[in-house]
Amino acid sequence: MCGIIGYVGEEHALPHLLEGLRTLEYRGYDSVGVTVSLGGEEPLLTVKTKGKLRELTEKLKTHPAAADGRCGIGHTRWATHGAPDDKNAHPHTTRHLSLVHNGIIENDAELRAELREAGISLLSDTDTEAAAWLLDRLYADSRDPVDALFRTAERLRGSYAFAVIFKDRPEVIYAMRRDSPLIVARGAQGCALASDVPALLRHSRACARLPEDTVAILRRDGIHAVNRRGFAVSLPTEEVAWDTEQAQKGGYAHFMRKEIDEQPDALRRTLSPRIRDGLPHFSLPSLDTDRIRRVRSLRMIACGTAMHAGLVGKRLIEQLARLPVQVEIASEFRYRDPLLDPAGELCVFLSQSGETADTLAALRHARAAGVPTLAIVNVVGSSVAREADEVLYTLAGPEIAVASTKAYSVQCALLTLLALRLALVNGRMTEEAVRACVRSLCEDVPAAVTATLAMSDRIAALVPPLAACEHLYFIGRGIDADLCTEGSLKLKEISYIHSEAYPAGELKHGTISLIEEGTPVLALMTDPSLSAKTLTAIREVRARGAHVLTVTTAALADALSLSAENVLLLPAIPSAAALPAPFALFPAACALQLLAYHTALARGCHIDQPRNLAKSVTVE
Ligand code: AGP
């Protein structure tokens, strides 16, 4: 998810571009750049860099001419293809144009091969540059920007939002999109386009969303749009009431809530590139058949929420692939001189930021011991991603809120896919069974998460008694015990309520002494094979005065004749009963995230930046 900005008008473009990029940094911030039209011999000046806006501002000091132009485009990047560095930063320039892009071109390998054939060598590792050169060559044919853009669109598979300036038309910005957003606005001093509303509010509150299969043409004196047949397309404006900060959150009150709601899309975006012919497909040597057959055990190493995803990974890989998995708290791992097996072990490092010092130190320890390392990371080009032998990116998009939500879900989804791949290669599951699981993971799970999101008000209604307490217990068995660890952390870190996750069967061995009249207990029960035993634990704590909130499925509530009082029913996964994988974990995790969110709201806590915490803990 990247940020695009463009301006053409009576004023100098650069200040508008830089301010627009600053308001779009929440969409991605690993590299940044601008192209400004200067006219003359070299009509376009492009300045770009790895890093944030401050690095670009520094670099611009050596290009004073950039301040003169009155037309320009800019881009702040969230890398998906190619690490964050100067050559991969946008804009990408070719013989005839400069282009910025938000989205993922899925057939970029095919385009690259074609360009190689034509003797064009690309400077970057990005899918964007391949698309830029495709457009360049089509433009060279016709010298008609609109025709060249539509012909380019016919060749592309995937998502895109493009803003383009052609060298021989330096005072005009052309734009086109598919799936990725583009919005235009006309202000008193010129016209502007952007990936999102915040960057346009300085120009106008009357914004128009560019339709697909349409080319927008922005000049100083106005914006017009045409379709493939050359007919004018109207661009109805909407009046935006938000201020800039609200607009950065897409109208949400908090990034955390926005990111919770992004989970269905994040799941689909992360899973779909890793599935071919209905089966898990990772184009990683460490996960090809021969290498997998040599894996005798795995180790999940991470911190916090990522470590909790590792618990889920352990559960799924051991259950489906019958391979032993250890889960390690990264900050403990290297200090206990772990017994490693370089010949038969695979160490998996989970991290949203890819910069967590404890996880990075553990990775270096494993590499020094010669153990194969695989990183599952959300930030492309981050330290953990670069230093592991191989990396599998989660494509959740930037996660801004300190409390991790969508990153957890996509980590669990990738680990599920990994478990299915291991099970298939090791003959523990048939192709048919794996296909059924993959189909459910890609279709039923996002749908169940979407349905859970729609329960937000129902979940909020359960909060008052929880928000009034100072101690709360999460109990569950099996994968529910794993989920309880994450539910407890979410609640603690944003509502500051002390909570503890406890395997339900273990309570009676000591901790139950803490249960007294009115103690709130959240019981998670999604695993049919263990629900009767969890119900026993619910009865044990109730008998001692606990107020129990049970989070379960309708099927289990019926089977156990649970009363409707203090029971939250999760959306069903239609195929769940027939599948060996416990996919109810995904709606359950989403429900616990919303419970924490609403509880923290009720307690007036700062949602996106909780006290004492940082988004990425880069110190040991
Ligand atoms: C999760 O909500 C916390 N912010 C924290 O536990 C986090 O998961 C942990 O610091 C690991 O971060 P990482 O995934 O970026 O490595």
Side-chain angles (χ1 to χ4, degrees):
M1 184 161 93
C2 305
I4 290 176
I5 183 74
Y7 169 82
V8 54
E10 301 309 323
E11 298 178 337
H12 289 142
L14 195 56
H16 291 300
L17 298 180
L18 296 177
E19 180 54 26
L21 291 174
R22 190 189 62 72
T23 61
L24 291 171
E25 272 200 320
Y26 73 94
R27 294 179 63 85
Y29 39 70
D30 57 46
S31 52
V32 62
V34 295
T35 288
V36 180
S37 302
L38 301 180
E41 281 305 302
E42 189 44 62
L44 301 182
L45 170 62
T46 295
V47 180
K48 59 185 186 175
T49 181
K50 174 182 178 180
K52 297 187 187 306
L53 211 44
R54 63 174 171 273
E55 278 78 24
L56 178 64
T57 307
E58 275 309 302
K59 205 163 184 178
L60 281 164
K61 288 176 182 169
T62 57
H63 300 275
D68 300 337
R70 297 178 190 279
C71 176
I73 53 178
H75 185 274
T76 185
R77 184 172 182 238
W78 179 263
T80 54
H81 287 63
D85 55 25
D86 290 8
K87 73 177 186 304
N88 290 332
H90 301 204
H92 288 282
T93 54
T94 66
R95 197 179 25 233
H96 296 105
L97 58 92
S98 179
L99 173 145
V100 292
H101 167 228
N102 174 28
I104 295 179
I105 304 298
E106 291 168 4
N107 59 326
D108 76 309
E110 168 198 325
L111 301 177
R112 285 177 162 275
E114 203 176 284
L115 292 166
R116 261 196 310 277
E117 282 294 307
I120 293 173
S121 52
L122 303 188
L123 302 177
S124 79
D125 311 319
T126 66
D127 54 340
T128 304
E129 191 186 7
W133 272 105
L134 170 64
L135 174 60
D136 182 285
R137 298 178 73 211
L138 292 169
Y139 178 68
D141 277 353
S142 64
R143 293 291 171 167
D144 175 342
V146 172
D147 171 66
L149 278 162
F150 278 120
R151 288 166 64 199
T152 300
E154 290 162 9
R155 292 289 319 279
L156 297 181
R157 286 204 312 278
S159 60
Y160 55 79
F162 293 131
V164 191
I165 301 177
F166 294 87
K167 287 182 180 176
D168 54 3
R169 303 159 193 268
E171 297 302 322
V172 188
I173 300 173
Y174 294 84
M176 180 176 70
R177 62 173 283 267
R178 182 195 294 158
D179 290 341
S180 298
L182 267 180
I183 302 155
V184 296
R186 180 175 183 186
Q189 298 307 324
C191 298
L193 66 82
S195 307
D196 204 352
V197 165
L200 296 176
L201 294 180
R202 65 192 324 222
H203 300 285
S204 166
R205 288 191 172 279
C207 299
R209 294 185 179 279
L210 185 63
E212 297 195 348
D213 302 326
T214 302
V215 170
I217 303 157
L218 286 76
R219 293 187 173 86
R220 282 188 190 187
D221 58 359
I223 303 169
H224 70 281
V226 293
N227 64 18
R228 187 68 183 93
R229 294 189 304 283
F231 293 122
V233 173
S234 72
L235 297 175
T237 60
E238 306 153 11
E239 199 61 25
V240 177
W242 295 333
D243 63 26
T244 299
E245 190 194 348
Q246 282 173 316
Q248 283 175 318
K249 296 167 192 162
Y252 283 93
H254 306 103
F255 277 113
M256 182 180 176
R257 182 59 205 272
K258 177 170 178 278
E259 289 152 12
I260 290 172
D261 281 10
E262 286 172 348
Q263 289 182 109
D265 285 346
L267 286 164
R268 293 187 190 99
R269 236 187 353 256
T270 297
L271 289 167
S272 64
R274 281 81 184 223
I275 290 158
R276 187 170 295 175
D277 185 27
L279 294 171
H281 176 79
F282 302 103
S283 46
L284 289 176
S286 67
L287 297 179
D288 68 27
T289 303
D290 298 341
R291 290 280 297 277
I292 282 182
R293 289 209 170 111
R294 294 204 292 271
V295 174
R296 292 191 289 267
S297 69
L298 295 95
R299 206 182 293 258
M300 305 275 151
I301 304 168
C303 303
T305 289
M307 188 270 287
H308 296 155
L311 295 172
V312 170
K314 168 184 171 67
R315 182 83 51 182
L316 291 166
I317 292 169
E318 290 189 344
Q319 178 185 327
L320 301 177
R322 309 306 294 155
L323 283 170
V325 181
Q326 291 189 68
V327 178
E328 303 273 3
I329 293 175
S331 55
E332 292 292 314
F333 171 66
R334 62 197 178 100
Y335 295 111
R336 61 178 191 77
D337 195 11
L339 300 171
L340 300 171
D341 170 16
E345 178 175 340
L346 174 63
C347 279
V348 180
F349 293 84
L350 296 146
S351 177
Q352 189 287 128
S353 65
E355 298 300 343
T356 299
D358 289 325
T359 307
L360 191 55
L363 167 60
R364 289 168 179 162
H365 183 89
R367 279 184 58 77
V371 183
T373 57
L374 169 66
I376 292 183
V377 176
N378 198 40
V379 179
V380 174
S382 54
S383 302
V384 171
R386 277 184 290 105
E387 295 192 27
D389 294 315
E390 292 178 346
V391 57
L392 201 47
Y393 285 116
T394 51
L395 300 174
E399 189 176 70
I400 308 294
V402 165
S404 186
T405 51
K406 61 179 180 175
Y408 172 78
S409 295
V410 294
Q411 286 163 357
C412 291
L414 270 190
L415 289 168
T416 305
L417 220 48
L418 175 62
L420 291 167
R421 168 82 179 140
L422 293 168
L424 182 63
V425 170
N426 291 331
R428 297 289 182 178
M429 286 178 73
T430 64
E431 273 199 13
E432 183 190 2
V434 171
R435 277 205 181 87
C437 286
V438 168
R439 196 168 35 252
S440 181
L441 185 60
C442 294
E443 295 166 13
D444 299 337
V445 164
V449 172
T450 300
T452 309
L453 296 173
M455 294 167 56
S456 181
D457 291 347
R458 167 88 179 85
I459 293 169
L462 298 168
V463 157
L466 305 183
C469 71
E470 290 311 314
H471 303 280
L472 190 147
Y473 297 85
F474 287 77
I475 64 171
R477 294 183 76 125
I479 195 151
D480 293 328
D482 302 333
L483 285 165
C484 281
T485 61
E486 177 55 16
S488 173
L489 176 62
K490 278 293 85 65
L491 184 73
K492 275 186 282 196
E493 67 176 325
I494 64 172
S495 73
Y496 313 147
I497 292 172
H498 169 255
S499 78
E500 198 170 341
Y502 227 82
E506 183 64 5
L507 270 174
K508 54 188 177 292
H509 300 288
T511 302
I512 200 166
S513 67
L514 296 178
I515 304 297
E516 56 191 353
E517 188 54 42
T519 303
V521 173
L522 185 144
L524 185 58
M525 195 161 59
T526 66
D527 181 343
S529 65
L530 292 168
S531 52
K533 294 197 178 298
T534 305
L535 190 56
T536 302
I538 291 171
R539 288 179 179 139
E540 284 169 0
V541 295
R542 240 192 217 129
R544 289 155 178 84
H547 286 182
V548 180
L549 167 62
T550 303
V551 179
T552 186
T553 63
L556 285 175
D558 290 346
L560 298 168
S561 310
L562 294 185
S563 74
E565 191 191 359
N566 286 329
V567 173
L568 179 67
L569 297 181
L570 295 170
I573 305 265
S575 45
L579 297 175
F583 288 160
L585 78 97
F586 292 98
C590 181
L592 296 183
Q593 292 163 357
L594 286 169
L595 196 68
Y597 175 78
H598 286 300
T599 304
L601 268 185
R603 290 168 65 97
C605 298
H606 195 299
I607 300 290
D608 288 333
Q609 283 92 27
R611 68 187 182 198
N612 310 338
L613 292 177
K615 181 57 186 170
S616 178
V617 183
T618 54
V619 292
E620 283 197 63

